[in-house]
């Protein structure tokens, strides 16, 4: 069974440029998460989806970050414009819906903003 | 506010030794305490998890000890192997997995 797939794995951009990350969760997983992992730190939740609905986006910096999960499967996380401090790994995870449970993480997208 | 405090930041253990990583939490509403293992360039993967109704859970060489009154839990890796070298994160959440709050991580190196 395929795991959580993320792309691109690596992205280098100039500050003020836009960037987008894509995530394909495990088939059948209704809950999808985007986490931010800074170097040497644990993951921090940005947004959680239950199917198409963003049920927790309280930690998403909405002035520059946006996310969508059309049709309740794949998801895209966008940053526009990117700032130097956005350099980090963006992790996508999925789990079976309802009361949560084990999170399955993708390998992450590493963003470097110059 | 750091809701889950993890220590030590790094740990070096000899092959065959016991690795111990500790975590403390603040929110008494937390009811799910997993440990995740992360290798370089990979995402975290669930290692073992515990609910507060038990004080200990063992899976192979990995054991979680849980102290509800002290709001602390720890991971013990018995007979540590070089392949265990990774970063370990404790985490906690309410509602069984939703909105996991992670500790800062412990880099474990097992010397052969």
């Amino acid at each position: 069974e395929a795991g959580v797939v993320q792309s691109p794995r690596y992205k280098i951009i100039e500050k003020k440029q836009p960037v987008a990350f894509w995530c394909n969760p495990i088939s059948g997983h209704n809950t999808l998460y985007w986490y931010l992992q800074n170097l040497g730190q644990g993951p921090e939740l940005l947004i959680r989806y239950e199917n198409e609905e963003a049920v927790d986006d309280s930690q998403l910096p909405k002035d520059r970050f946006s996310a969508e999960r059309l049709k309740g499967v794949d998801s895209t996380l966008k940053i526009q414009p990117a700032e130097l401090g956005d350099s980090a790994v963006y992790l996508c995870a999925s789990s079976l819906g309802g009361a949560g449970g084990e999170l399955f993480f993708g390998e992450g997208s590493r963003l470097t903003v110059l | 506010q750091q809701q889950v405090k993890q220590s030590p930041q790094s740990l070096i253990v000899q092959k065959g030794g016991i690795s111990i990583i500790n975590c403390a939490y603040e929110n008494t509403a937390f009811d799910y305490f997993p440990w995740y293992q992360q290798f370089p360039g990979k995402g975290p993967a669930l290692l073992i998890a515990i609910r507060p109704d038990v004080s200990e859970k063992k899976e192979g060489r990995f054991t979680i000890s849980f102290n509800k009154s002290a709001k602390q839990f720890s991971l013990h890796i018995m007979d540590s192997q070089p392949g265990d070298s990774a970063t370990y994160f404790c985490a906690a959440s309410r509602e069984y997995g939703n909105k996991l709050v992670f500790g800062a991580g412990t880099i474990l190196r097992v010397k052969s």
Side-chain angles (χ1 to χ4, degrees):
Chain A
E1 178 182 331
V4 176
V5 179
Q6 292 187 245
S7 68
R9 289 295 316 280
Y10 305 93
K11 189 73 175 179
I12 301 174
I13 61 172
E14 298 283 336
K15 63 180 181 181
K16 299 186 181 180
Q17 293 300 305
V19 64
F21 305 111
W22 175 80
C23 173
N24 178 244
I26 292 173
S27 177
H29 282 194
N30 297 325
T31 308
L32 183 145
Y33 311 76
W34 283 102
Y35 276 85
L36 165 70
Q37 187 173 25
N38 286 304
L39 186 64
Q41 297 295 317
E44 301 171 35
L45 180 67
L46 289 173
I47 189 168
R48 173 168 66 97
Y49 282 93
E50 293 288 348
N51 299 303
E52 307 86 7
E53 182 182 0
V55 296
D56 186 352
D57 63 356
S58 57
Q59 302 301 312
L60 189 73
K62 298 181 183 64
D63 57 337
R64 298 184 300 107
F65 286 66
S66 65
E68 61 181 11
R69 191 184 185 197
L70 300 177
K71 300 181 180 179
V73 181
D74 295 357
S75 178
T76 303
L77 177 69
K78 298 179 181 178
I79 308 174
Q80 183 172 8
E83 296 179 352
L84 295 177
D86 296 332
S87 295
V89 175
Y90 292 84
L91 292 164
C92 179
S94 70
S95 70
L96 292 173
E102 179 179 354
L103 270 63
F104 293 84
F105 283 87
E107 294 188 325
S109 294
R110 180 178 294 277
L111 173 65
T112 301
V113 182
L114 303 177
Chain B
Q1 181 183 8
Q2 188 176 3
Q3 296 192 59
V4 180
K5 295 183 180 180
Q6 183 172 346
S7 64
Q9 285 185 313
S10 62
L11 181 62
I12 300 176
V13 174
Q14 291 289 337
K15 178 182 177 181
I18 302 173
S19 304
I20 302 174
I21 305 171
N22 301 299
C23 276
Y25 63 96
E26 300 169 4
N27 190 341
T28 55
F30 287 151
D31 61 2
Y32 176 66
F33 303 90
W35 285 89
Y36 278 77
Q37 179 188 55
Q38 186 176 30
F39 293 103
K42 303 295 185 182
L46 179 65
L47 189 62
I48 187 172
I50 197 168
R51 303 292 298 275
D53 51 344
V54 296
S55 61
E56 185 175 282
K57 181 174 182 181
K58 182 177 181 180
E59 291 184 359
R61 296 184 293 110
F62 302 92
T63 300
I64 298 180
S65 297
F66 184 79
N67 186 329
K68 188 174 181 178
S69 61
K71 294 188 288 185
Q72 295 176 347
F73 58 110
S74 60
L75 175 69
H76 295 234
I77 305 175
M78 311 299 288
D79 186 26
S80 298
Q81 298 297 312
D84 296 331
S85 297
T87 300
Y88 292 81
F89 294 97
C90 62
S93 74
R94 302 169 55 185
E95 301 173 14
Y96 184 33
N98 286 329
K99 199 167 186 175
L100 277 174
V101 177
F102 284 83
T106 296
I107 300 172
L108 171 65
R109 178 186 168 201
V110 181
K111 296 174 66 176
S112 57

